[in-house]
Amino acid sequence: MPYRRLPNTDQARIRTLKTAVDNCVQNGIYTNVLKHNTYFTAKNILEKFSRQVEAYKKCVNEQSSKRRNTKYDAAFKNARMYVTHFLQVLSMSVMRGEIARAKRSYYGLNPDDDSLPTITLESAVLEWSEKISEGEKRRQAEGGIPIYNPTMGRVSVACDLFKQMYDKQQQLGRNTADALSRVASLREECDSAILTVWQEIEEKFSDLESAERLEKCAQYGIIYYTRPDRKKKAALADE
């Protein structure tokens, strides 16, 4: 005996409801397969769910296009280069004795060795740009000579530009998560509407012979499956 199961993707949910709703009106005449209340409930949830799914897809596409933006990549690489170079110049100045080793701690560095952080992530660039900015201000406030080539000002310009793009990208990520949450919150309502629609469709055609009943129900969007063990038995019977 064929069985049915609820669609397991958002597009399948939309397609299932749309098929039922569209087929309830043929040649401008309502078919009465669904109760009027069920029909309008299904139509409303279809429209609401479709809007939210489209909004989510739009957020995903926008986030993806922004993330692949060459300007974003260039700003990240530029900021990373300036932060890395500044730390390298600072480290060499310490090794030459131009800056006291203890003052490495001002920049978030271990004063007991000459190692430098590995900066590969966007968040690390922003983290270290703040650390070296605070460290340079503190050292200069104590009378230290500013580091040049690059200056902290030039590093800050590059990092501020990147931070603007990074913050926008993060906001796009939050927008995408919010849109997905709204879609997820409607799935249960959508599935409930589909179940009600299917029950009424099957009840409407319950008096028909099996093959005709399945065909009519399928016309209104119900998808039937044959269990694997039944398929195997049918294949063996045909041999």
Side-chain angles (χ1 to χ4, degrees):
M1 176 68 182
Y3 70 101
R4 69 188 193 198
R5 66 183 177 209
L6 284 170
N8 55 12
T9 68
D10 294 331
Q11 288 303 321
R13 288 180 174 94
I14 292 172
R15 187 165 56 249
T16 297
L17 276 178
K18 189 175 188 307
T19 300
V21 168
D22 288 350
N23 279 279
C24 278
V25 179
Q26 298 179 10
N27 299 320
I29 301 173
Y30 189 68
T31 62
N32 289 318
V33 169
L34 295 179
K35 297 174 184 176
H36 282 83
N37 184 58
T38 302
Y39 169 76
F40 286 112
T41 297
K43 187 176 180 180
N44 289 337
I45 185 60
L46 170 62
E47 292 172 354
K48 184 165 56 172
F49 190 65
S50 296
R51 283 197 303 270
Q52 294 300 338
V53 169
E54 285 303 311
Y56 168 65
K57 288 165 63 177
K58 183 178 179 181
C59 287
V60 170
N61 290 335
E62 185 176 7
Q63 183 182 7
S64 178
S65 64
K66 291 291 184 182
R67 186 63 187 85
R68 295 194 304 268
N69 193 325
T70 54
K71 290 183 179 179
Y72 180 92
D73 291 337
F76 167 57
K77 291 176 183 177
N78 197 45
R80 178 176 176 273
M81 177 185 68
Y82 272 104
V83 169
T84 301
H85 285 185
F86 186 93
L87 286 168
Q88 290 171 346
V89 172
L90 169 65
S91 183
M92 287 187 290
S93 297
V94 170
M95 288 187 284
R96 290 194 298 263
E98 298 167 358
I99 295 176
R101 177 169 293 276
K103 294 188 177 180
R104 279 174 58 96
S105 64
Y106 291 10
Y107 302 84
L109 299 169
N110 188 343
D112 297 327
D113 63 53
D114 296 320
S115 64
L116 293 176
T118 300
I119 301 174
T120 56
L121 301 176
E122 290 105 322
S123 56
V125 169
L126 298 177
E127 176 188 352
W128 282 99
S129 69
E130 291 182 8
K131 286 182 177 181
I132 62 179
S133 177
E134 291 303 313
E136 187 70 351
K137 287 177 184 176
R138 180 179 174 185
R139 191 178 62 80
Q140 288 185 43
E142 295 177 354
I145 298 174
I147 290 177
Y148 290 96
N149 196 28
T151 63
M152 192 62 238
R154 188 65 189 88
V155 175
S156 295
V157 168
C159 290
D160 287 347
L161 177 61
F162 170 63
K163 188 175 186 302
Q164 291 176 10
M165 295 185 178
Y166 177 83
D167 288 345
K168 186 172 184 179
Q169 182 67 27
Q170 294 301 106
Q171 183 59 53
L172 289 173
R174 288 190 289 271
N175 292 345
T176 300
D178 289 343
L180 178 58
S181 178
R182 288 192 290 273
V183 170
S185 69
L186 288 173
R187 285 177 182 148
E188 185 176 348
E189 184 179 354
C190 189
D191 288 346
S192 178
I194 291 172
L195 277 175
T196 301
V197 165
W198 282 1
Q199 287 167 359
E200 291 190 11
I201 291 170
E202 289 186 329
E203 183 178 349
K204 181 69 176 180
F205 300 121
S206 61
D207 293 336
L208 299 177
E209 293 294 330
S210 179
E212 186 179 3
R213 176 169 52 80
L214 293 177
E215 181 180 349
K216 283 289 187 180
C217 289
Q219 180 183 337
Y220 282 82
I222 302 180
I223 301 175
Y224 290 100
Y225 300 86
T226 302
R227 299 185 189 281
D229 58 331
R230 299 298 177 86
K231 286 183 179 181
K232 186 175 180 180
K233 288 179 179 179
L236 291 174
D238 290 338
E239 291 180 357

